[in-house]
Amino acid sequence: MSLNVEKSKQMLLESQKYLAGGVASTLRASMKPTPLFAESGSGSRVRDVDGNEYIDYLLAYGPLILGHAHPAMAEAMNEATKRGFTYGLQHDGEIKLAKLLTELLPCADKVALSGSGTEAVMLALRLSRAYTGRTKVVRFHGHFHGWSDAIFTSFLSPDMKQSSAAQSFMASAPPGTGGQSENSLQDIIMLPWNDIEAFEALIAKEKDSIAAVITEPIMCNNGCIGPKAGYLERIRELTEQSGIVMIMDEVITGFRLGLGGAHGKLGLKPDLVTIGKALGGGFAISGVAGKADIMALIENGTVGHLGTLNGNFAATSAALAVLRELGKDNGSSFPRMEQLFNRLVAGLRELLNKHGIQGLINQAGPVFHFMFTEEKQVEDFDTFNKRDAAKYSRFAELMLEEGVLVRPSGLWYISTVHNEEDIETTIQAADRALAKLAL
């Protein structure tokens, strides 16, 4: 029996009259049978305008680390809004949040606050160029660093489907969208990730022109692929030796893998780290944290850091509430989320065997990527591109019919309020969905 989403379909048609594309972010258009319109959410559940309720593993594409309408956040925001939303002046929330971030993030001497992950990356790149006096930036195939012209390439998450596997290892950086300046990516050098020989060869040749190397600690969007043993450590070693700024993009992993971010978990100290998504728990806030001498370029006016709503009172109040909740009981929510996902991943793997479907799951604690592929392991972007994306999109649609909301690309998130019942219900739903998929 197909899912009744008629009201969502009607609202999409209405939205398309006024809102370009009918959705506020291009990514959302990929959902089948139609982009859903939400009515409300609470805890681990979200409800659409047709009255359907779903266990939510999309979690607003990552920010909802505390789930929907968390009481502690609701209380914090209610109190904050009584004092005002934003002032265009400084306030105590900025001090409290910046101080807390420097205490939690191992690489953070000082912090700058922005509104989105894209803005944080833009600032980190600008700081790197000003600090080194160089222009080139090294980035990696399959990583995503926001949609600004200076870094946005066509090798994004699979939802966007803008590139083929054959194109993905082109030496040049193709633009990610129409309308990008042909010159916007001329300073970008693209490399395959997890290939230390390729990185070493590049550094030997180009180190004096490279301002920064930007990398995700885990390639979450495209396969949830972790770094090979010693890979990030070698990048850190070579960038330090060459006077290159190492930027770790933790917009996804920051405060999802742990309070100290992935770099804290891995024992690494990049020069700069970008944070966002989970930091705000659903409110727009991001930041750059890092070494004092680099951040000093903002203080002395060398690098401009602008933004009308940067560090606004509502956003900093939300972030403080999130970090307080995540820090309770010495961060006990992190191992709990991981344990729940361990159970879910084990259940899904059993079901793949049961239904004779070829697939695998790459897990990094409280985040994993589920894909249909004949490959025995996926450790690089090229191998990831061999997956059957259309088949997984169909699985996501079948899961929606079963009352489970998952991202069509295969990336799953969990929140602190998901529970054992959610996991068991999800496994049962996946059993029925995979049975239909196997027909």
Side-chain angles (χ1 to χ4, degrees), residues 48-218:
D48 67 22
V49 291
D50 288 281
N52 303 301
E53 182 174 271
Y54 311 94
I55 302 173
D56 186 5
Y57 297 99
L58 177 73
L59 293 175
Y61 294 89
L64 300 182
I65 188 79
L66 302 182
H68 295 272
H70 193 283
M73 275 200 73
E75 181 180 355
M77 297 312 298
N78 183 48
E79 289 303 310
T81 55
K82 292 177 183 177
R83 289 178 54 185
F85 311 139
T86 190
Y87 309 120
L89 302 171
Q90 305 314 116
H91 54 85
D92 61 346
E94 289 179 313
I95 300 172
K96 290 176 181 176
L97 179 58
K99 181 175 184 292
L100 183 55
L101 290 173
T102 61
E103 292 168 353
L104 293 174
L105 300 172
C107 77
D109 294 330
K110 289 196 176 180
V111 177
L113 300 176
S114 297
S116 69
T118 291
E119 293 171 71
V121 169
M122 290 167 64
L123 177 60
L125 295 178
R126 188 171 288 177
L127 284 166
S128 300
R129 289 184 170 118
Y131 183 71
T132 61
R134 306 168 186 170
T135 59
K136 299 289 186 182
V137 172
V138 179
R139 60 153 302 174
F140 301 95
H141 296 286
H143 290 211
F144 180 63
H145 304 296
W147 58 281
S148 72
D149 276 13
I151 198 71
F152 187 45
T153 75
S154 61
F155 310 116
L156 304 176
S157 63
D159 312 64
M160 303 296 287
K161 298 179 181 178
Q162 293 186 2
S163 63
S164 68
Q167 289 176 311
S168 69
F169 285 92
M170 290 169 57
S172 60
T177 177
Q180 254 180 291
S181 165
E182 292 181 4
N183 299 322
S184 64
L185 296 170
Q186 64 182 359
D187 287 329
I188 299 298
I189 301 172
M190 301 284 287
L191 283 182
W193 198 59
N194 262 340
D195 185 340
I196 195 59
E197 290 80 11
F199 185 76
E200 288 175 339
L202 176 70
I203 294 300
K205 182 180 179 182
E206 298 283 349
K207 63 181 181 181
D208 293 334
S209 65
I210 298 171
V213 174
I214 185 167
T215 180
E216 293 182 79
I218 298 166

Side-chain angles (χ1 to χ4, degrees), residues 348-357 431:
L348 291 172
R349 286 174 175 157
E350 290 171 7
L351 291 175
L352 287 172
N353 289 329
K354 173 183 175 180
H355 294 287
I357 296 175
D431 192 6

Side-chain angles (χ1 to χ4, degrees), residues 406-433:
V406 297
R407 185 171 172 175
S409 71
L411 184 63
W412 293 50
Y413 294 107
I414 191 172
S415 76
T416 60
V417 293
H418 280 78
N419 57 36
E420 290 82 0
E421 181 183 352
D422 291 327
I423 300 302
E424 295 308 317
T425 300
T426 302
I427 292 171
Q428 292 166 19
D431 192 6
R432 294 186 293 271

Side-chain angles (χ1 to χ4, degrees), residues 178-402:
Q180 254 180 291
S181 165
E182 292 181 4
N183 299 322
S184 64
L185 296 170
Q186 64 182 359
D187 287 329
I188 299 298
I189 301 172
M190 301 284 287
L191 283 182
W193 198 59
N194 262 340
D195 185 340
I196 195 59
E197 290 80 11
F199 185 76
E200 288 175 339
L202 176 70
I203 294 300
K205 182 180 179 182
E206 298 283 349
K207 63 181 181 181
D208 293 334
S209 65
I210 298 171
V213 174
I214 185 167
T215 180
E216 293 182 79
I218 298 166
M219 194 160 73
C220 287
N221 275 307
N222 291 313
C224 210
I225 298 169
K228 291 181 179 178
Y231 178 67
L232 291 178
E233 289 81 359
R234 183 60 172 152
I235 289 179
R236 174 68 290 193
E237 180 184 8
L238 289 174
T239 51
E240 276 188 318
Q241 291 175 0
S242 306
I244 297 169
V245 176
M246 182 181 181
I247 306 169
M248 193 163 283
D249 187 343
E250 292 223 48
V251 170
I252 290 179
T253 55
F255 311 111
R256 179 157 287 283
L257 268 64
L259 281 170
H263 74 281
K265 201 159 184 155
L266 294 170
L268 287 167
K269 287 191 74 173
D271 298 301
L272 296 174
V273 63
T274 58
I275 49 177
K277 286 192 184 287
L279 174 63
F283 286 82
I285 187 169
S286 67
V288 177
K291 291 172 61 176
D293 57 342
I294 300 178
M295 302 303 289
L297 294 171
I298 297 174
E299 297 174 25
N300 65 28
T302 301
V303 172
H305 175 46
L306 307 175
T308 300
L309 296 177
N310 287 355
N312 70 80
F313 188 60
T316 56
S317 297
L320 286 165
V322 168
L323 296 177
R324 279 195 298 267
E325 286 300 307
L326 292 177
K328 284 183 176 178
D329 301 321
N330 294 315
S332 63
S333 58
F334 291 103
R336 180 180 172 276
M337 286 189 288
E338 184 167 353
Q339 289 164 11
L340 287 173
F341 253 16
N342 288 344
R343 168 67 190 116
L344 179 53
V345 167
L348 291 172
R349 286 174 175 157
E350 290 171 7
L351 291 175
L352 287 172
N353 289 329
K354 173 183 175 180
H355 294 287
I357 296 175
Q358 300 249 329
L360 63 78
I361 301 168
N362 281 346
Q363 182 186 2
V367 58
F368 69 78
H369 208 124
F370 185 11
M371 65 198 89
F372 297 121
T373 178
E374 295 183 2
E375 301 296 320
K376 300 303 180 185
Q377 55 185 1
V378 174
E379 295 183 335
D380 56 67
F381 187 53
D382 193 32
T383 307
F384 172 72
N385 274 324
K386 297 177 182 178
R387 78 205 182 285
D388 190 336
K391 187 173 184 177
Y392 189 87
S393 180
R394 175 58 183 155
F395 170 73
E397 188 175 355
L398 291 170
M399 288 294 281
L400 206 62
E401 294 176 6
E402 296 291 342

